[in-house]
């Protein structure tokens, strides 16, 4: 089994797995979705933002385009995790 790029028990990203330190210049902008009803698919470790609620999320595993689903359903299935929140509205 390959090591994971995240540690769900501590909510930490393993920098060694993804190539060292994460710097602002080396990270592409995360996808920005409207809210938890938005449809998402992506790759393990990918970050994305829910604009209306101000929630930053991470994909905990690869989610293929054929398995795409709403953010709310993917969270309930344990395929994504909410990392943090900033001031938002609606949720």
């Amino acid at each position: 089994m390959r090591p994971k790029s995240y540690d769900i028990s501590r909510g930490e990203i393993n920098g060694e797995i993804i190539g060292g330190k994460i710097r602002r210049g080396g990270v592409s902008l995360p996808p920005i979705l409207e809210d938890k009803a938005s449809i998402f698919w992506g790759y393990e470790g990918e970050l994305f933002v829910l604009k209306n609620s101000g929630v930053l999320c991470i994909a905990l595993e690869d989610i293929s385009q054929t398995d795409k689903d709403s953010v709310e359903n993917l969270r309930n299935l344990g395929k994504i995790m909410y990392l943090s929140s900033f001031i938002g509205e609606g949720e």
Side-chain angles (χ1 to χ4, degrees):
M1 182 162 84
R2 69 183 179 109
K4 295 288 186 181
S5 59
Y6 63 91
D7 179 344
I8 193 168
S9 64
R10 293 185 304 206
E12 294 179 353
I13 296 173
N14 183 343
E16 292 178 12
I17 300 298
I18 58 176
K21 292 182 180 177
I22 300 174
R23 294 184 205 145
R24 185 178 295 255
V27 177
S28 63
L29 293 175
I32 298 173
L33 304 176
E34 289 297 316
D35 55 28
K36 63 184 178 183
S38 298
I39 302 300
F40 177 78
W41 68 275
Y43 304 99
E44 178 186 342
E46 185 173 9
L47 299 171
F48 61 99
V49 174
L50 301 182
K51 181 174 75 172
N52 290 346
S53 60
V55 173
L56 177 65
C57 308
I58 187 169
L60 299 177
E61 59 185 66
D62 290 342
I63 302 165
S64 69
Q65 213 169 1
T66 57
D67 293 331
K68 63 186 174 187
D69 204 343
S70 72
V71 171
E72 183 174 27
N73 287 343
L74 292 170
R75 182 172 182 249
N76 291 339
L77 293 171
K79 294 185 177 191
I80 66 168
M81 178 173 67
Y82 292 171
L83 290 178
S84 64
S85 181
F86 53 91
I87 295 173
E89 57 184 71
E91 295 185 294

Coordinates of all heavy atoms in Angstrom, one line a residue:
M1 N 0.8 -1.2 0.0 CA 0.0 0.0 0.0 C 0.9 1.2 0.0 O 1.8 1.3 0.8 CB -0.9 0.0 1.2 CG -1.8 1.1 1.3 SD -3.2 0.9 2.4 CE -2.5 1.4 4.0
R2 N 0.6 2.2 -0.9 CA 1.4 3.4 -0.9 C 1.0 4.4 0.2 O -0.1 4.4 0.6 CB 1.3 4.1 -2.3 CG -0.1 4.7 -2.6 CD -0.1 5.2 -4.0 NE -1.4 5.8 -4.3 CZ -1.7 7.1 -4.4 NH1 -0.7 8.0 -4.3 NH2 -2.9 7.5 -4.6
P3 N 2.0 5.1 0.6 CA 1.7 6.1 1.7 C 0.7 7.2 1.2 O 0.7 7.5 0.1 CB 3.1 6.7 2.1 CG 4.0 6.3 1.0 CD 3.4 5.2 0.2
K4 N -0.1 7.7 2.1 CA -1.0 8.7 1.8 C -0.4 10.1 1.9 O 0.5 10.3 2.6 CB -2.2 8.6 2.8 CG -3.0 7.4 2.7 CD -3.8 7.3 1.4 CE -4.7 6.1 1.4 NZ -5.5 6.1 0.2
S5 N -1.0 11.0 1.1 CA -0.5 12.4 1.1 C -1.1 13.2 2.2 O -0.8 14.4 2.4 CB -0.7 13.0 -0.3 OG -2.1 13.0 -0.5
Y6 N -2.0 12.6 3.0 CA -2.6 13.3 4.1 C -2.7 12.4 5.3 O -2.6 11.2 5.2 CB -4.0 13.7 3.7 CG -4.9 12.6 3.4 CD1 -5.7 11.9 4.4 CD2 -5.0 12.0 2.2 CE1 -6.5 10.8 4.2 CE2 -5.7 10.9 1.9 CZ -6.5 10.3 2.9 OH -7.2 9.2 2.7
D7 N -2.8 12.9 6.5 CA -3.0 12.2 7.7 C -4.4 12.7 8.3 O -4.5 13.7 8.8 CB -1.9 12.5 8.7 CG -2.1 11.7 10.0 OD1 -3.2 11.2 10.3 OD2 -1.1 11.6 10.7
I8 N -5.4 11.8 8.1 CA -6.8 12.2 8.5 C -6.9 12.4 10.0 O -7.7 13.2 10.4 CB -7.8 11.2 7.9 CG1 -9.2 11.8 8.1 CG2 -7.7 9.9 8.6 CD1 -10.3 11.0 7.3
S9 N -6.1 11.7 10.8 CA -6.2 11.8 12.2 C -5.7 13.1 12.7 O -6.2 13.6 13.7 CB -5.4 10.7 12.9 OG -4.0 10.8 12.6
R10 N -4.8 13.8 12.0 CA -4.2 15.1 12.4 C -4.6 16.2 11.5 O -4.4 17.3 11.7 CB -2.7 15.0 12.5 CG -2.2 14.2 13.6 CD -0.8 14.2 13.8 NE -0.2 13.9 12.5 CZ 1.0 13.4 12.3 NH1 1.8 13.2 13.3 NH2 1.5 13.1 11.1
G11 N -5.2 15.8 10.3 CA -5.6 16.8 9.3 C -4.4 17.5 8.7 O -4.5 18.6 8.3
E12 N -3.3 16.7 8.5 CA -2.1 17.3 8.0 C -1.8 16.7 6.6 O -2.1 15.5 6.4 CB -0.9 17.0 8.9 CG -1.0 17.7 10.2 CD 0.2 17.4 11.1 OE1 1.0 16.5 10.8 OE2 0.3 18.0 12.2
I13 N -1.2 17.5 5.8 CA -0.7 17.1 4.5 C 0.7 16.6 4.6 O 1.5 17.4 5.2 CB -0.9 18.2 3.4 CG1 -2.3 18.5 3.2 CG2 -0.2 17.8 2.1 CD1 -2.6 19.7 2.4
N14 N 1.1 15.5 4.1 CA 2.5 14.9 4.2 C 3.3 15.5 3.0 O 3.2 15.1 1.9 CB 2.4 13.4 4.1 CG 3.8 12.8 4.2 OD1 4.8 13.4 4.1 ND2 3.8 11.5 4.5
G15 N 4.1 16.5 3.4 CA 4.9 17.2 2.4 C 5.9 16.3 1.7 O 6.3 16.6 0.5
E16 N 6.4 15.3 2.3 CA 7.4 14.4 1.7 C 6.8 13.6 0.6 O 7.4 13.4 -0.4 CB 7.9 13.4 2.8 CG 8.8 14.0 3.8 CD 9.2 13.0 4.9 OE1 9.1 11.8 4.6 OE2 9.7 13.4 5.9
I17 N 5.5 13.3 0.7 CA 4.9 12.5 -0.4 C 4.6 13.4 -1.6 O 4.7 13.0 -2.8 CB 3.5 11.9 0.1 CG1 3.8 11.0 1.3 CG2 2.8 11.2 -1.0 CD1 4.6 9.8 1.0
I18 N 4.3 14.7 -1.4 CA 3.9 15.5 -2.5 C 5.1 16.4 -2.9 O 4.9 17.3 -3.7 CB 2.7 16.4 -2.2 CG1 3.0 17.3 -0.9 CG2 1.5 15.6 -2.0 CD1 1.8 18.2 -0.6
G19 N 6.3 16.1 -2.5 CA 7.5 16.7 -3.0 C 8.1 17.9 -2.1 O 8.8 18.7 -2.7
G20 N 7.8 17.9 -0.9 CA 8.4 18.9 0.0 C 7.5 19.9 0.4 O 6.3 19.7 0.5
K21 N 8.0 21.1 0.7 CA 7.2 22.2 1.2 C 6.2 22.7 0.2 O 6.5 22.8 -1.0 CB 8.1 23.4 1.6 CG 9.0 23.0 2.8 CD 9.8 24.2 3.2 CE 10.6 23.9 4.4 NZ 11.5 25.0 4.8
I22 N 5.1 23.1 0.6 CA 4.1 23.7 -0.2 C 4.3 25.2 -0.2 O 4.2 25.8 0.9 CB 2.6 23.3 0.2 CG1 2.5 21.8 0.2 CG2 1.6 24.0 -0.7 CD1 1.1 21.4 0.7
R23 N 4.5 25.8 -1.3 CA 4.6 27.3 -1.4 C 3.5 27.8 -2.3 O 3.1 27.2 -3.2 CB 6.0 27.6 -2.0 CG 7.1 27.2 -1.1 CD 8.4 27.6 -1.6 NE 9.4 26.7 -1.0 CZ 10.4 26.3 -1.6 NH1 10.7 26.7 -2.8 NH2 11.2 25.4 -1.1
R24 N 3.1 29.0 -2.0 CA 2.1 29.7 -2.7 C 2.4 29.7 -4.2 O 1.5 29.4 -5.0 CB 1.9 31.1 -2.2 CG 0.7 31.8 -2.8 CD 0.6 33.2 -2.3 NE 0.3 33.1 -0.9 CZ -0.9 33.4 -0.4 NH1 -1.9 33.8 -1.2 NH2 -1.2 33.3 0.9
G25 N 3.6 29.9 -4.6 CA 3.9 30.0 -6.0 C 3.9 28.6 -6.7 O 3.8 28.6 -7.9
G26 N 4.0 27.6 -6.0 CA 4.0 26.2 -6.5 C 2.7 25.5 -6.6 O 2.6 24.4 -7.0
V27 N 1.7 26.1 -6.0 CA 0.4 25.5 -5.9 C -0.6 26.2 -6.9 O -0.7 27.5 -6.8 CB -0.2 25.5 -4.5 CG1 -1.6 25.0 -4.4 CG2 0.8 24.8 -3.6
S28 N -1.2 25.5 -7.8 CA -2.2 26.2 -8.6 C -3.4 26.5 -7.8 O -3.7 26.0 -6.7 CB -2.6 25.2 -9.8 OG -3.2 24.1 -9.3
L29 N -4.2 27.5 -8.3 CA -5.4 27.9 -7.6 C -6.4 26.8 -7.5 O -6.6 26.1 -8.5 CB -6.0 29.1 -8.3 CG -5.2 30.4 -8.3 CD1 -5.9 31.4 -9.2 CD2 -5.1 30.9 -6.9
P30 N -7.0 26.6 -6.3 CA -7.9 25.5 -6.2 C -9.2 25.8 -6.9 O -9.5 26.9 -7.2 CB -8.2 25.4 -4.7 CG -7.9 26.8 -4.2 CD -6.8 27.3 -5.1
P31 N -9.9 24.7 -7.4 CA -11.2 25.0 -8.0 C -12.1 25.7 -7.0 O -12.1 25.4 -5.8 CB -11.7 23.6 -8.3 CG -10.6 22.7 -8.2 CD -9.6 23.3 -7.3
I32 N -13.0 26.6 -7.5 CA -13.9 27.3 -6.6 C -15.3 26.8 -7.0 O -15.7 27.1 -8.2 CB -13.8 28.8 -6.8 CG1 -12.3 29.2 -6.3 CG2 -14.8 29.5 -6.0 CD1 -12.0 30.7 -6.6
L33 N -16.0 26.2 -6.1 CA -17.4 25.7 -6.4 C -18.3 26.6 -5.6 O -18.0 27.3 -4.7 CB -17.5 24.3 -5.9 CG -16.5 23.3 -6.5 CD1 -16.7 21.9 -5.9 CD2 -16.6 23.2 -8.0
E34 N -19.6 26.6 -6.0 CA -20.6 27.5 -5.4 C -20.9 27.1 -4.0 O -20.8 27.9 -3.1 CB -21.8 27.5 -6.3 CG -21.7 28.3 -7.6 CD -21.4 29.8 -7.4 OE1 -22.0 30.4 -6.5 OE2 -20.5 30.2 -8.1
D35 N -21.3 25.8 -3.8 CA -21.8 25.4 -2.5 C -21.7 23.8 -2.4 O -21.2 23.2 -3.3 CB -23.2 25.9 -2.2 CG -24.2 25.5 -3.3 OD1 -24.0 24.4 -3.9 OD2 -25.2 26.2 -3.5
K36 N -22.2 23.3 -1.3 CA -22.1 21.8 -1.1 C -23.0 21.0 -2.0 O -22.8 19.8 -2.1 CB -22.4 21.5 0.3 CG -23.8 21.8 0.8 CD -24.0 21.5 2.3 CE -25.4 21.9 2.7 NZ -25.6 21.7 4.1
A37 N -23.9 21.7 -2.8 CA -24.7 21.0 -3.8 C -23.9 20.9 -5.2 O -24.3 20.1 -6.1 CB -26.0 21.7 -4.0
S38 N -22.8 21.5 -5.3 CA -22.0 21.5 -6.5 C -21.4 20.1 -6.7 O -21.1 19.4 -5.8 CB -20.8 22.5 -6.4 OG -21.3 23.8 -6.3
I39 N -21.2 19.8 -8.0 CA -20.7 18.5 -8.4 C -19.1 18.6 -8.4 O -18.6 19.6 -9.0 CB -21.2 18.0 -9.8 CG1 -22.7 18.0 -9.7 CG2 -20.6 16.7 -10.2 CD1 -23.3 17.0 -8.7
F40 N -18.5 17.6 -7.9 CA -17.0 17.6 -7.8 C -16.5 16.2 -8.3 O -17.0 15.2 -8.0 CB -16.5 17.9 -6.4 CG -15.0 17.8 -6.3 CD1 -14.2 18.8 -6.7 CD2 -14.4 16.7 -5.7 CE1 -12.8 18.8 -6.6 CE2 -13.0 16.6 -5.6 CZ -12.2 17.7 -6.1
W41 N -15.4 16.2 -9.0 CA -14.5 15.1 -9.2 C -13.1 15.6 -9.2 O -12.8 16.8 -9.6 CB -14.9 14.3 -10.5 CG -14.6 15.1 -11.7 CD1 -15.4 16.0 -12.4 CD2 -13.4 15.0 -12.5 NE1 -14.8 16.5 -13.5 CE2 -13.5 15.9 -13.6 CE3 -12.2 14.3 -12.4 CZ2 -12.6 16.1 -14.6 CZ3 -11.2 14.5 -13.4 CH2 -11.4 15.3 -14.5
G42 N -12.1 14.8 -8.8 CA -10.7 15.2 -8.8 C -9.8 14.2 -8.2 O -10.2 13.0 -8.2
Y43 N -8.7 14.6 -7.8 CA -7.6 13.7 -7.4 C -7.3 13.8 -5.9 O -7.5 14.8 -5.3 CB -6.4 14.0 -8.2 CG -6.6 13.9 -9.7 CD1 -6.8 15.0 -10.4 CD2 -6.7 12.7 -10.3 CE1 -7.1 15.0 -11.8 CE2 -7.0 12.6 -11.7 CZ -7.2 13.7 -12.4 OH -7.5 13.6 -13.7
E44 N -6.8 12.7 -5.3 CA -6.4 12.7 -3.9 C -5.5 13.9 -3.6 O -4.5 14.1 -4.4 CB -5.7 11.4 -3.6 CG -5.2 11.3 -2.2 CD -4.4 10.1 -1.9 OE1 -4.4 9.1 -2.7 OE2 -3.6 10.1 -0.9
G45 N -5.8 14.6 -2.6 CA -4.9 15.7 -2.2 C -5.3 17.0 -2.8 O -4.8 18.0 -2.4
E46 N -6.2 17.0 -3.7 CA -6.6 18.2 -4.4 C -7.5 19.1 -3.4 O -8.4 18.6 -2.8 CB -7.4 17.9 -5.7 CG -7.8 19.2 -6.5 CD -8.5 18.8 -7.8 OE1 -8.8 17.7 -8.0 OE2 -8.6 19.8 -8.6
L47 N -7.2 20.4 -3.4 CA -7.9 21.3 -2.5 C -8.9 22.0 -3.4 O -8.7 22.3 -4.6 CB -6.9 22.3 -1.9 CG -5.8 21.8 -1.0 CD1 -4.9 22.9 -0.7 CD2 -6.5 21.2 0.2
F48 N -10.0 22.4 -2.8 CA -11.0 23.2 -3.5 C -11.8 24.0 -2.5 O -11.8 23.7 -1.3 CB -11.9 22.4 -4.4 CG -12.7 21.3 -3.7 CD1 -14.1 21.5 -3.4 CD2 -12.2 20.1 -3.4 CE1 -14.8 20.6 -2.7 CE2 -12.9 19.1 -2.8 CZ -14.3 19.3 -2.5
V49 N -12.5 25.0 -2.9 CA -13.2 26.0 -2.1 C -14.7 26.0 -2.4 O -15.1 26.0 -3.5 CB -12.6 27.4 -2.3 CG1 -13.4 28.4 -1.5 CG2 -11.1 27.4 -1.9
L50 N -15.5 26.1 -1.3 CA -16.9 26.3 -1.5 C -17.2 27.8 -1.2 O -17.1 28.3 -0.1 CB -17.7 25.5 -0.5 CG -17.5 23.9 -0.6 CD1 -18.4 23.2 0.4 CD2 -17.8 23.4 -2.0
K51 N -17.4 28.5 -2.3 CA -17.5 30.0 -2.3 C -18.6 30.5 -1.3 O -18.3 31.4 -0.5 CB -17.7 30.5 -3.7 CG -17.8 32.0 -3.8 CD -17.9 32.5 -5.2 CE -19.2 32.3 -5.7 NZ -19.4 32.9 -7.0
N52 N -19.8 30.0 -1.4 CA -20.9 30.5 -0.6 C -20.7 30.3 0.9 O -21.2 31.1 1.7 CB -22.2 29.9 -1.1 CG -22.6 30.4 -2.4 OD1 -22.1 31.4 -2.9 ND2 -23.6 29.8 -3.0
S53 N -20.1 29.2 1.3 CA -19.9 28.9 2.7 C -18.6 29.3 3.3 O -18.3 29.3 4.5 CB -20.3 27.5 3.0 OG -19.4 26.6 2.3
G54 N -17.6 29.5 2.4 CA -16.2 29.8 2.8 C -15.5 28.6 3.4 O -14.7 28.7 4.3
V55 N -15.7 27.4 2.8 CA -15.1 26.2 3.3 C -14.0 25.7 2.4 O -14.2 25.7 1.2 CB -16.2 25.0 3.5 CG1 -15.5 23.7 3.9 CG2 -17.2 25.4 4.6
L56 N -12.9 25.4 2.9 CA -11.8 24.8 2.1 C -11.8 23.3 2.3 O -11.9 22.8 3.4 CB -10.4 25.3 2.6 CG -9.2 24.8 2.0 CD1 -9.1 25.1 0.5 CD2 -7.9 25.2 2.7
C57 N -11.8 22.5 1.2 CA -11.9 21.1 1.3 C -10.7 20.4 0.6 O -10.0 21.0 -0.2 CB -13.2 20.7 0.5 SG -14.7 21.5 0.9
I58 N -10.6 19.1 1.0 CA -9.5 18.3 0.3 C -10.1 17.0 -0.1 O -11.0 16.4 0.7 CB -8.3 18.1 1.3 CG1 -7.2 17.4 0.6 CG2 -8.7 17.4 2.6 CD1 -5.9 17.4 1.3
A59 N -9.7 16.5 -1.2 CA -10.2 15.2 -1.7 C -9.3 14.1 -1.0 O -8.0 14.2 -1.0 CB -10.1 15.0 -3.2
L60 N -9.9 13.2 -0.3 CA -9.1 12.1 0.4 C -8.7 10.9 -0.5 O -8.0 10.1 0.0 CB -9.9 11.7 1.6 CG -10.3 12.7 2.6 CD1 -11.2 12.2 3.7 CD2 -9.0 13.4 3.2
E61 N -9.3 10.9 -1.6 CA -9.0 9.8 -2.6 C -9.3 10.3 -4.0 O -10.0 11.3 -4.2 CB -9.8 8.5 -2.3 CG -11.3 8.7 -2.3 CD -12.0 7.5 -1.9 OE1 -11.9 7.1 -0.7 OE2 -12.7 6.9 -2.7
D62 N -8.8 9.6 -5.0 CA -9.2 9.9 -6.4 C -10.7 9.7 -6.6 O -11.2 8.7 -6.1 CB -8.4 9.0 -7.4 CG -6.9 9.3 -7.4 OD1 -6.5 10.4 -6.9 OD2 -6.2 8.5 -7.9
I63 N -11.3 10.7 -7.2 CA -12.8 10.6 -7.5 C -12.9 10.7 -9.0 O -12.6 11.8 -9.6 CB -13.6 11.7 -6.8 CG1 -13.4 11.5 -5.3 CG2 -15.1 11.5 -7.2 CD1 -13.8 12.7 -4.5
S64 N -13.1 9.7 -9.7 CA -13.1 9.7 -11.2 C -14.3 10.5 -11.7 O -15.3 10.7 -11.0 CB -13.2 8.3 -11.8 OG -14.4 7.7 -11.5
Q65 N -14.2 10.9 -13.0 CA -15.3 11.7 -13.6 C -16.6 10.9 -13.6 O -17.7 11.5 -13.4 CB -14.9 12.2 -15.0 CG -15.5 13.5 -15.3 CD -14.9 14.0 -16.6 OE1 -14.0 13.4 -17.2 NE2 -15.3 15.2 -17.0
T66 N -16.5 9.6 -13.7 CA -17.7 8.8 -13.8 C -18.4 8.6 -12.4 O -19.5 8.3 -12.2 CB -17.4 7.4 -14.3 OG1 -16.4 6.8 -13.6 CG2 -17.0 7.5 -15.8
D67 N -17.6 8.9 -11.3 CA -18.0 8.8 -9.9 C -18.3 10.2 -9.3 O -18.6 10.2 -8.1 CB -17.0 8.1 -9.0 CG -16.9 6.6 -9.4 OD1 -17.9 6.0 -9.9 OD2 -15.8 6.0 -9.2
K68 N -18.3 11.2 -10.1 CA -18.6 12.5 -9.6 C -19.9 12.6 -8.9 O -20.8 11.9 -9.2 CB -18.5 13.6 -10.7 CG -19.5 13.5 -11.8 CD -19.2 14.5 -12.9 CE -20.2 14.2 -14.0 NZ -19.9 15.0 -15.2
D69 N -20.0 13.5 -7.9 CA -21.2 13.6 -7.1 C -21.2 15.0 -6.4 O -20.2 15.7 -6.5 CB -21.2 12.5 -6.0 CG -22.6 12.1 -5.5 OD1 -23.5 12.9 -5.7 OD2 -22.7 11.1 -4.9
S70 N -22.2 15.3 -5.6 CA -22.3 16.5 -4.9 C -21.2 16.5 -3.8 O -20.9 15.4 -3.3 CB -23.7 16.8 -4.4 OG -23.9 16.0 -3.3
V71 N -20.7 17.7 -3.4 CA -19.8 17.8 -2.3 C -20.4 17.2 -1.1 O -19.7 16.5 -0.3 CB -19.4 19.3 -2.1 CG1 -18.5 19.4 -0.9 CG2 -18.6 19.8 -3.4
E72 N -21.6 17.5 -0.8 CA -22.3 16.9 0.4 C -22.3 15.4 0.4 O -21.9 14.8 1.4 CB -23.7 17.5 0.5 CG -24.4 17.0 1.7 CD -25.8 17.7 1.9 OE1 -26.4 18.1 0.8 OE2 -26.3 17.9 3.0
N73 N -22.6 14.8 -0.7 CA -22.6 13.3 -0.8 C -21.2 12.7 -0.6 O -21.0 11.7 0.1 CB -23.3 12.8 -2.0 CG -24.8 13.0 -2.0 OD1 -25.4 13.2 -1.0 ND2 -25.4 13.0 -3.2
L74 N -20.2 13.4 -1.3 CA -18.9 12.9 -1.2 C -18.3 13.0 0.2 O -17.6 12.1 0.7 CB -18.0 13.7 -2.2 CG -18.2 13.4 -3.7 CD1 -17.5 14.4 -4.5 CD2 -17.9 12.0 -4.0
R75 N -18.7 14.1 0.9 CA -18.3 14.2 2.3 C -18.9 13.1 3.2 O -18.3 12.5 4.0 CB -18.7 15.6 2.9 CG -18.2 15.8 4.3 CD -18.4 17.2 4.7 NE -17.9 17.4 6.1 CZ -18.7 17.7 7.1 NH1 -20.0 17.7 7.0 NH2 -18.2 17.8 8.3
N76 N -20.2 12.9 3.0 CA -20.9 11.8 3.7 C -20.3 10.4 3.5 O -20.3 9.6 4.3 CB -22.4 11.8 3.4 CG -23.1 13.1 3.9 OD1 -22.6 13.7 4.9 ND2 -24.2 13.4 3.3
L77 N -19.7 10.2 2.3 CA -19.1 9.0 1.9 C -17.6 8.9 2.4 O -17.0 7.9 2.3 CB -19.1 8.8 0.4 CG -20.5 8.5 -0.2 CD1 -20.4 8.6 -1.7 CD2 -21.1 7.2 0.2
G78 N -17.1 10.0 3.0 CA -15.8 10.0 3.5 C -14.7 10.2 2.4 O -13.5 9.9 2.6
K79 N -15.1 10.7 1.2 CA -14.2 10.9 0.1 C -13.6 12.2 0.1 O -12.5 12.4 -0.6 CB -14.9 10.6 -1.2 CG -15.3 9.1 -1.4 CD -15.9 8.8 -2.7 CE -16.2 7.4 -2.8 NZ -16.5 7.0 -4.2
I80 N -14.2 13.2 0.8 CA -13.6 14.5 0.9 C -13.7 14.9 2.4 O -14.5 14.3 3.2 CB -14.2 15.6 0.0 CG1 -15.7 15.8 0.4 CG2 -14.1 15.2 -1.4 CD1 -16.3 17.0 -0.2
M81 N -12.9 15.9 2.8 CA -12.9 16.4 4.2 C -12.9 17.9 4.1 O -12.2 18.5 3.3 CB -11.7 15.9 4.9 CG -11.6 16.3 6.3 SD -10.2 15.5 7.2 CE -8.8 16.2 6.4
Y82 N -13.6 18.5 5.0 CA -13.6 20.0 5.2 C -12.3 20.3 6.0 O -12.2 19.7 7.1 CB -14.8 20.5 5.9 CG -16.1 20.4 5.2 CD1 -17.3 20.7 5.8 CD2 -16.1 20.1 3.8 CE1 -18.5 20.7 5.1 CE2 -17.3 20.0 3.1 CZ -18.5 20.3 3.8 OH -19.7 20.3 3.1
L83 N -11.5 21.2 5.6 CA -10.2 21.5 6.3 C -10.4 22.7 7.2 O -10.0 22.7 8.3 CB -9.1 21.7 5.3 CG -8.6 20.5 4.6 CD1 -7.5 21.0 3.6 CD2 -8.0 19.5 5.6
S84 N -11.0 23.7 6.6 CA -11.1 25.0 7.4 C -12.2 25.8 6.8 O -12.8 25.5 5.7 CB -9.8 25.7 7.4 OG -9.5 26.2 6.1
S85 N -12.5 26.9 7.4 CA -13.6 27.8 6.9 C -13.1 29.3 7.1 O -12.4 29.6 8.0 CB -14.8 27.6 7.7 OG -15.9 28.4 7.3
F86 N -13.6 30.1 6.3 CA -13.4 31.6 6.4 C -14.8 32.1 6.3 O -15.8 31.4 6.1 CB -12.5 32.2 5.4 CG -12.9 31.8 3.9 CD1 -13.7 32.6 3.2 CD2 -12.4 30.7 3.3 CE1 -14.1 32.3 1.9 CE2 -12.7 30.3 2.0 CZ -13.6 31.2 1.3
I87 N -15.0 33.4 6.5 CA -16.3 34.0 6.6 C -17.0 33.8 5.3 O -16.5 34.1 4.2 CB -16.2 35.5 6.9 CG1 -15.7 35.7 8.3 CG2 -17.6 36.2 6.8 CD1 -15.4 37.1 8.7
G88 N -18.2 33.2 5.3 CA -19.0 32.9 4.2 C -20.4 33.0 4.6 O -20.8 33.3 5.7
E89 N -21.3 32.7 3.6 CA -22.7 32.7 4.0 C -23.4 31.5 3.3 O -22.9 30.9 2.4 CB -23.4 34.0 3.5 CG -23.2 34.2 2.0 CD -23.7 35.6 1.5 OE1 -23.1 36.6 1.9 OE2 -24.7 35.6 0.9
G90 N -24.6 31.2 3.9 CA -25.4 30.2 3.2 C -25.3 28.8 3.8 O -26.2 28.0 3.5
E91 N -24.3 28.5 4.6 CA -24.2 27.1 5.0 C -23.8 27.1 6.5 O -22.7 26.8 6.9 CB -23.3 26.3 4.2 CG -23.8 26.1 2.8 CD -23.0 25.2 1.9 OE1 -21.9 25.6 1.6 OE2 -23.5 24.2 1.6

